[in-house]
Structures are given as structure tokens and as C-alpha cells.
Amino acid sequence: MKAPFYVAIAMAIGLIVLLGYFLHLDILVNLRVVLLEWAVILSAVALLVGTANLFYVHWRKFTSAQPNGFYSAVLIISFVITLGVVGWFGPTHAYSMWIFNNIQVPIEGSLMALLTVLLAFAGVRLFRRKPNLMSILFIGTAILILFATGPLFGINLPGLSELRAWIAQVPAVAGARGILLGVALGTIATGLRVLMGADRPYGG
Amino acid sequence: MNQLELFGLIFVIVFFGLMLALAILSRTRPVRQFREIPAFTRLRHTIGLAVEAGNRLHLSIGRGNLTGPQSAVTFVGLTVLDRIARSTMVSDRPPVVTSGEGAITILSQDSLRGAARAIGAEFDPLRGRLTGLTPFSYVAGALPVIYDEDVGANLFIGSFGSELALMNEAGERAGSLTLAGTDNLSGQAVLYATAEEPLIGEETYASGAYLGGGAMHIASIRAQDILRWVIISLILLGALLKLVGVL
């Protein structure tokens, strides 16, 4: 009997939030605001639970001597130190900001740099995996936009920046809008399925 | 209520009505086959192989906020999890789920628990994991799962940005199938170049129907198709009226 109960609650709350968005009746709007505030609070609690999960997964990996358990030990030590510093001094204290600016930001920046190299490599590999017209168009456009955005050796080919502007403003926008239209319809369909109880990403 | 909100409400009601009508009609009329999406054909094959060969499936649901617009694609990821968990939970190596948001981690554990309970299998809560809270820390945390846990196929369905390329690359290096879909435009461009089986645009949202969803999943795909043609017609009509100077 639990599942129908969960479904009824989820459907009722979903319907109130949806109607509160469209119909500006005081009772619906107030209920919607309260329910969304609850959702934000629950998300914050879920964040704490998730962080505990992260810690426990790596603790188990380290203590059960799984492959690359050393990295889990590094994560656990970093986690405890960061939690101690931020918890004791506060998130905006100089020590907390030092950890953020000198450890977190450089590591994420390095991954971003790695990503650019990897994307260039993936572009070349795309030809091998899918040697078709769409791949040629995809890579050709990417190279054209790159050359027009940052000219090699400062050489500006005539008409290149105009071509870049045209690609960015006409075919790219048309394609993006087509994809976004599909995404929007898919989003509404998924929302309605959850609202009708056909999709139940809750309640086991 | 302004004009835009009224139009939005009418659109949602029409969508809802169409879905209901098509779901009822599908009970009496035979349903036409969907067009083939190679990613789902390969996925069904891989799920079967994974169960037989004792490989693990890795599903990553991204870091979309459940209270924001990315929640829909996150729900799609959870629906896919529900479908594959029921068919792979009997394997020696049950699926592992990674995410970058606390609420998604809890919901993924809940889906795994439900699937385990349905077939009487043992449930391990650590099969649903939070790997990081920022885009790159999430990806960095998911990479060891791809490399170290005998993963046969990776499914990345959720809200991802361009960082998804790092996970696709890891899947390719580990020799496992990577199927990916996201709601993010730059993420879709990146996965076209890096994923073995990319899902573009609304294909991601069709996952439930292609993985054996019920009548409502199929009806929602049909309703999307009908409304897409209505919107295309309206855009063309608008362009034509603008061309002749009426608008």
C-alpha cells in the first residue's frame, strides 16, 4: 500500500506547483512557494547525506585495500582537513579561501586544460569512427570558427570573420533552436509522465 | 494571467490530453514501430551480454538540480536506471550509479533498492554514489569507476556539460561501450565528437519508451511528434506571413 500513497502525494504536490505557476490564486501561489522552500531544504539535507556517502565509499575502498586505494586515502585526508578548516574558521576566512584558490581552482583548471587537448584529439578521431559528411561538416565548421576567432600568426583572411558571424548567427542558431525545441517537448512529456505517475523516480 | 502564461497552460493541457488519448487508443489499435536508434539497439544487446559475461553496467545521472529545469533529464536517467536495474540485478555484478548531486544519489539508491527488492536480491547502498559536487570533481570521482570496476558499458544520461568528454574518453580507453545523452547544448556537441553512441536532442527523452516503457511512454513520444509538426507548421506560417508583410 506504500507505493500508491507515495504516488498520490507526488502527483498532488506536482499539480499544486504546476497550477501555482500558471494560476495566480493566492492559495495556490502561497502553497507553491512553501512547497518549493521545502524542496530547497530537502536538497540541502540530501547534499549532507551525499557527502557522507562520498566519504564512506572512499573509506571502504581504502580499508578493503581495493585497487588505487591510495587515492581514496588522499581524498579522505583532504576531506577531513577541509571540513576542519572551513568548519572552524568559516567558509570566507583566509585559510578556507587559500584551500579554494590554491588547490581546488588549479586542479579544476588543469582538468579544463586537459579537456581542450582531448577535444582536439576527439575531433580527429571522429573521422576514423564516423567517416561521413556530417563529421566533415562538424570538424570543418569547428576549424573555421577557431581560425576566425583566433587568427593564426595574426593573419586575417578576408571575409573569414563575416563567414564566422553568419555561421554563428544563422545555421548554428537554427540548429540550436531545433534541438532546444526537441528538448523542451521532451521535458514537458517527462514532467507530465511523472505527474501522472507513469514514471516514478521515487518510493522504491 | 498574461497571454504567455495562458498559452503555456493551454499547451500543457493539450499535451496532457493528447498523451491520454493516444494511450487509450494504443489499447485498441496496433502501435507502429519507432524508428531505429542504433544506441538503444546496442544498449539492449550490451545489457544481455553484461549479465551473461559478469560485467558491470555503470550509469551516471549527472548533476542536474531536482528543483531546476534539468530535473526532467535527471528523471529520464532515473527511469533508465529502473529499467536496467531490474534486468541486471541478477548478475554477479549489479550496476553501479554515480551522480553529482545529493538528492539524485538518494533517488538512485532508492531505485536500486526497489529493483533488488522486486527480485529478492541483496542491496548494497554504496552502489549509488556521489562522486563530486562540482563538474570536474564529479567527473574525476567517476573515472575510477570506469577504469577499476570491470565495467562493460557506460550510460551517461542526465545533465552534463562539456566535462562529459573526459568520461567518454575514459570509457573508450577502458574498452567499454559509451552511450550518452544530455539536455545541455554544448554537452551535446561534445558528446557527438566523443561518445560511441550519442543521443541528440529529444532522443534522450525517448529512452524510457525504447527500453520497454509502458503505454504512457509510447503515447508521450507520439504526442511529442504531433506537437513538433504543429510547431514547425506555425513557424513556417509565421515566416510566410512575415515575408508577405502581414506580420
Side-chain angles (χ1 to χ4, degrees):
Chain A
M1 282 305 288
K2 275 183 181 173
F5 183 61
Y6 294 144
V7 175
I9 290 177
M11 286 168 72
I13 289 175
L15 203 63
I16 290 168
V17 173
L18 182 70
L19 289 178
Y21 180 79
F22 287 118
L23 306 173
H24 296 179
L25 300 172
D26 283 346
I27 187 164
L28 276 178
V29 173
N30 292 339
L31 260 174
R32 177 174 169 263
V33 169
V34 170
L35 289 169
L36 286 176
E37 280 173 357
W38 285 2
V40 171
I41 294 167
L42 283 172
S43 290
V45 175
L47 185 74
L48 286 176
V49 176
T51 313
N53 168 280
L54 175 73
F55 182 86
Y56 189 56
V57 165
H58 285 277
W59 177 258
R60 198 164 82 166
K61 196 171 175 183
F62 174 61
T63 52
S64 60
Q66 285 181 30
N68 298 326
F70 167 74
Y71 299 112
S72 292
V74 172
L75 183 133
I76 290 166
I77 293 165
S78 313
F79 185 98
V80 171
I81 292 173
T82 309
L83 193 70
V85 169
V86 176
W88 186 261
F89 295 106
T92 52
H93 189 271
Y95 292 153
S96 309
M97 292 310 291
W98 187 90
I99 291 175
F100 180 73
N101 289 325
N102 294 287
I103 298 174
Q104 177 87 14
V105 173
I107 288 175
E108 298 223 357
S110 308
L111 281 170
M112 181 66 120
L114 190 68
L115 184 66
T116 48
V117 177
L118 195 147
L119 283 176
F121 181 61
V124 176
R125 209 171 42 197
L126 183 66
F127 277 124
R128 200 182 61 201
R129 190 191 293 145
K130 297 176 197 163
N132 56 28
L133 183 68
M134 289 309 289
S135 300
I136 295 168
L137 201 66
F138 184 87
I139 301 298
T141 311
I143 291 171
L144 200 83
I145 298 287
L146 270 176
F147 272 117
T149 308
L152 203 60
F153 309 120
I155 302 165
N156 270 316
L157 292 175
L160 200 61
S161 57
E162 287 80 9
L163 182 63
R164 177 196 168 277
W166 180 80
I167 289 172
Q169 284 163 18
V170 184
V173 169
R177 283 185 184 168
I179 290 174
L180 284 176
L181 201 68
V183 168
L185 286 170
T187 302
I188 296 172
T190 308
L192 287 174
R193 281 201 309 265
V194 173
L195 206 59
M196 292 155 87
D199 271 358
R200 297 176 194 172
Y202 48 78
Chain B
M1 189 192 292
N2 62 35
Q3 266 188 334
L4 213 62
E5 285 171 342
L6 180 69
F7 177 75
L9 184 61
I10 291 169
F11 189 82
V12 170
I13 291 169
V14 168
F15 207 132
F16 181 76
L18 254 178
M19 276 171 68
L20 267 184
L22 290 166
I24 293 165
L25 273 177
S26 70
R27 290 181 183 172
T28 52
R29 286 183 184 181
V31 179
R32 276 187 297 135
Q33 286 289 311
F34 292 131
R35 74 180 165 93
E36 192 188 327
I37 298 178
F40 292 119
T41 312
R42 277 195 73 182
L43 177 63
R44 278 193 295 269
H45 182 65
T46 307
I47 289 174
L49 275 180
V51 174
E52 282 174 23
N55 285 330
R56 200 187 293 288
L57 287 176
H58 169 219
L59 178 65
S60 212
I61 312 183
R63 32 187 316 282
N65 194 332
L66 285 183
T67 53
Q70 305 94 1
S71 59
V73 77
T74 305
F75 287 147
V76 172
L78 288 165
T79 303
V80 172
L81 168 63
D82 190 54
R83 297 271 178 277
I84 64 162
R86 283 171 198 274
S87 47
T88 56
M89 204 54 108
V90 285
S91 156
D92 296 339
R93 291 177 179 274
V96 61
V97 187
T98 53
S99 54
E101 220 268 334
I104 306 174
T105 307
I106 293 173
L107 286 174
S108 63
Q109 288 178 348
D110 200 37
S111 289
L112 288 170
R113 185 187 293 115
R117 196 191 297 142
I119 58 160
E122 196 182 335
F123 166 66
D124 178 4
L126 297 188
R127 293 270 161 254
R129 302 172 192 171
L130 179 97
T131 57
L133 293 167
T134 62
F136 285 105
S137 66
Y138 160 56
V139 166
L143 295 184
V145 177
I146 300 168
Y147 283 123
D148 298 338
E149 300 205 17
D150 290 329
V151 170
N154 297 287
L155 283 81
F156 307 135
I157 296 180
S159 189
F160 300 90
S162 53
E163 70 278 1
L164 183 61
L166 291 166
M167 287 163 73
N168 286 331
E169 173 69 13
E172 179 126 347
R173 278 176 185 268
S176 48
L177 169 76
T178 53
L179 182 149
T182 174
D183 60 339
N184 184 295
L185 270 180
S186 55
Q188 289 188 31
V190 161
L191 69 88
Y192 179 77
T194 57
E196 214 174 329
E197 293 293 352
L199 296 170
I200 305 294
E202 72 274 19
E203 288 178 351
T204 307
Y205 296 88
S207 305
Y210 276 84
L211 293 174
M216 200 52 83
H217 276 97
I218 296 165
S220 72
I221 302 287
R222 300 259 180 257
Q224 277 181 67
D225 285 344
I226 293 169
L227 287 172
R228 185 181 302 109
W229 280 111
V230 170
I231 292 170
I232 289 169
S233 308
L234 286 175
I235 290 171
L236 288 177
L237 185 70
L240 198 69
L241 290 177
K242 184 92 177 169
L243 198 69
V244 296
V246 176
L247 283 179

